[in-house]
Every structure is written in C-alpha cells, then in structure tokens.
Amino acid sequence: MELLKERIRKDGVIKEGNVLKVDSFLNHQMDIALINEMGKEFRRLFPDESINKILTIEASGIGIACITAQYFGCPVVFAKKTQSINIDGEVYSTQIKSFTHNRTYDVIVKKAFLSPQDNILIIDDFLANGCALLGLIDIVKNAGAKIAGAGIVIEKGCQCGGELVRSQGIRVESLAIIDSMDPVSGCKFRDEVKA
Amino acid sequence: MELLKERIRKDGVIKEGNVLKVDSFLNHQMDIALINEMGKEFRRLFPDESINKILTIEASGIGIACITAQYFGCPVVFAKKTQSINIDGEVYSTQIKSFTHNRTYDVIVKKAFLSPQDNILIIDDFLANGCALLGLIDIVKNAGAKIAGAGIVIEKGCQCGGELVRSQGIRVESLAIIDSMDPVSGCKFRDEVKA
C-alpha cells in the first residue's frame, strides 16, 4: 500500500536493534484517515463475503480492527491480555510471548464470541516473530471457526513470523513488508526489492 | 441515548457488587454499527469545531475513540498503561488505580502528541469512580492543552466519578447514566428517575 509506505518513510523512526517506531500515526497517536484507507485495502484484499467477524488483540490492534470492520459490516472481538475479574464464564486462552515487553501474556477470548459458524479475519498492526498472530490462530482453531486470513499493517519480512504463518496455509496480507531497515539507509520494502 | 439504553437492557448483564457486563457489544465483542451511532451522538453533544484531538486510554476506549474521531476529522491519541521499552523520549505520566484489576498503573502519553494548541475531547467507555478520567485530565493539564470535555459511554451515576469531574468545571456527557442496578430489577437510568 503505497500511501502507508510513504508515511513510514516520512514519519517512521528506525532505531538500533531492528526497531521501527510508528507511534506518531499508528500505535500511540492514530491517523484515522490513513487507517480508513487501510480498512478499504483490507476489504479489497479479502473480498470474501462470508467473513463475519474480525479478531484482534489489545491494545494497538483494536482501533485498526474497528475502522476496518466498517468495510466488512461485522463486529470486532479483541483478545484480552491477562484474565480480568470482569471476564467470567468459559474462555479460549493461549499464551503469547511479547518480545517488546519481554514477558509472556495469557490471552483470552470469551467462548460466546467465537463459534464454528464464524469465518474470521484476523487484523493486527505488526507481524514480526509471529507470536501474537499464532496465538490468535490457536484461539480461532480451538473455537472451530474458519480463518479467512490475516490482515497485517506492517510485516517485518526479515523476521520469520510471516513465513511461519503462511506455511500453515493461512493467507497473510501485509500492507507493507519491510525486508530490511537501518537508521541510515531507511526501510527496504519488499516491492522495492523485487523491482 | 435511547439506542444504547435499549441495548444495555437487552444484553447487559448485572452481577452482584454493582458490576455491569457489556462485553457482548462494547468492551470485548464490539458492535461497530452501534459504536458509530455513539460517535455521531458525541459529535452532536460536542459541536465545537476547535476540537482537534481525541484522547483515550487503552484498551477498551480505543475502538470507541477511533470510530468517534471520524465524526470529528481528527486523530486519536491513546494513553498507555505501563512504560513500554518501545516508547522513548519524554512522556507525560500519571497514576491510575484500577478497581477492576485491583492494581495501580503508570499511564503515559508521549509529549510530542499533546500541545498547548490542542483542544482535547476525552473519550472512554466507563466512568465510575473517575480514576481513569481524572488521570487523563491530569495529563492534558500537564500538557497545557484545553479540555473540551469528556464523552463517556456508560456512567455509573451511583459512584462519585461524574460528580468529581464536573465539580472541576469539566463538561462530561455520558450516553447512559445508570443511577442504580441490581440483578433482579435491572438498570435504572437517570432519565427514567427524572421522569
């Protein structure tokens, strides 16, 4: 998605250690007009009319999922990190390791909100090592629901998550795939590598 | 907002201890069409054209804030709980006690995303004791920004948060105010009490 790549080039900040900061428009301050364009693009990439629910994970996936859901006419379910005393009843749960926060979370979705009749589109902001996405896939599979695919805003193509998930036969569509980056030369997007 | 009250009556679940669960449409599974109606209502309640940013707090405020922001044509900033190693630079911070999770969070907003030129609308899903809202107000004041007001989806009128914030001269508009509730007789909304 060219608009997104332009924005990453303009406002993304690359730090040592393969860290890309996009908090000025994506995951702290959120440019809603840009995210609407992402929502339209996810709809174009996943035209399947039977998609009836979007699944994401708190926190930074939620806003992107909600805006995107408008183009699918469906509800959003967000997986929660750690069990809240306000969540009762049975839940699907999985564990997700966060390298950003250097800890492992229990992640839950209430069973009532996923069923074998659902065709789920998973939406998230980042795909790097794939831990979060694999955890969400695990939850959808436990619910017996169908996975239409995963829509990712930024995939770090230099990490193995995308390959891991695609090797399971799951369709992953990333709006920008970054194959390499460094603070001096910037981001190399996959399209640019191919060209 | 009648549509919301109807939905709370229909799908809200009241538990002992003054707990209202709305996780089937608001804060775990999210009914995006309903939240769009909330966004329109917040715009009607806060017509001030100078509102240029919406501030909320992760996680369950984010989706509501993003959908609402479309009616204001402005970006969203969400305050983050606990410091992430991916957040660098200077931040505004405050502490917020969560009674739901029985712990105190450090809550931060990067200084770059709030300025004295901003006129901020705060959006959140619940207002009960007011801790989260007072924390966000604290951050906005530290930034020297103007507070246009706070738009709340559900206010528990039987707790003191709304009164505390309004007594500071801050406009609070809640789409539903619940003055009392119990598992047998259901919710008493403020409009109903007045009538």
Side-chain angles (χ1 to χ4, degrees), chain A residues 5-63:
Chain A
K5 290 182 198 170
E6 280 169 20
R7 190 60 173 273
I8 294 169
R9 282 189 202 102
K10 180 171 161 280
D11 291 329
V13 177
I14 300 167
K15 301 275 183 182
E16 293 295 341
N18 216 23
V19 172
L20 174 66
K21 293 178 66 62
V22 288
D23 59 2
S24 67
F25 61 93
L26 190 65
N27 53 16
H28 187 13
Q29 183 167 247
M30 303 180 73
D31 179 335
I32 303 300
L34 174 66
I35 295 168
N36 257 298
E37 294 305 315
M38 294 176 192
K40 285 179 207 169
E41 182 66 4
F42 284 132
R43 171 83 272 189
R44 192 185 68 79
L45 292 165
F46 292 99
D48 183 350
E49 291 291 335
S50 72
I51 292 169
N52 71 329
K53 202 165 275 181
I54 288 177
L55 178 66
T56 188
I57 182 166
E58 64 180 19
S60 47
I62 297 174

Side-chain angles (χ1 to χ4, degrees), chain A residues 15 19 21 23-24 27-32 36 53 58-60 62-63 66-67 69-70 74-80 84-88 99-101 108-110 113, chain B residues 15 19 21 23-24 27-32 36 53 58-60 62-63 66-67 69-70 74-80 84-88 99-101 108-110 113:
Chain A
K15 301 275 183 182
V19 172
K21 293 178 66 62
D23 59 2
S24 67
N27 53 16
H28 187 13
Q29 183 167 247
M30 303 180 73
D31 179 335
I32 303 300
N36 257 298
K53 202 165 275 181
E58 64 180 19
S60 47
I62 297 174
C66 286
I67 297 287
Q70 297 174 125
C74 75
V76 167
V77 173
F78 64 88
K80 300 193 170 202
S84 158
I85 57 168
N86 255 1
I87 296 263
D88 61 2
F99 289 91
T100 313
H101 298 94
I108 57 170
V109 174
K110 209 167 164 177
F113 304 146
Chain B
K15 302 274 182 181
V19 172
K21 291 176 68 59
D23 60 4
S24 66
N27 53 18
H28 186 12
Q29 184 166 248
M30 305 183 71
D31 180 336
I32 303 301
N36 258 296
K53 202 165 276 182
E58 64 179 24
S60 47
I62 297 174
C66 285
I67 297 287
Q70 297 176 125
C74 74
V76 168
V77 172
F78 64 89
K80 300 193 171 202
S84 157
I85 57 167
N86 256 1
I87 297 263
D88 62 2
F99 289 91
T100 312
H101 298 95
I108 58 169
V109 174
K110 208 166 163 177
F113 304 146

Side-chain angles (χ1 to χ4, degrees), chain A residues 1 42 127 150-155 166 172-177:
Chain A
M1 184 182 171
F42 284 132
L127 171 58
I152 302 296
V153 179
I154 300 173
E155 177 179 342
R166 289 183 183 98
V172 180
E173 296 285 354
S174 300
L175 303 184
I177 301 180

Side-chain angles (χ1 to χ4, degrees), chain B residues 96-166:
Chain B
I96 293 180
K97 170 141 181 74
S98 165
F99 289 91
T100 312
H101 298 95
N102 193 28
R103 55 169 290 196
T104 298
Y105 294 96
D106 285 308
V107 171
I108 58 169
V109 174
K110 208 166 163 177
K111 286 189 176 174
F113 304 146
L114 292 176
S115 86
Q117 284 74 50
D118 288 329
N119 187 18
I120 306 284
L121 176 63
I122 298 172
I123 293 284
D124 208 0
D125 57 343
F126 269 95
L127 171 58
N129 55 60
C131 288
L133 185 50
L134 289 166
L136 292 177
I137 290 165
D138 185 44
I139 283 175
V140 177
K141 285 184 173 170
N142 285 342
K146 197 176 154 195
I147 300 174
I152 302 294
V153 178
I154 300 173
E155 178 178 342
K156 289 180 171 175
C158 41
Q159 291 184 246
C160 63
E163 200 177 336
L164 264 174
V165 176
R166 290 183 183 97

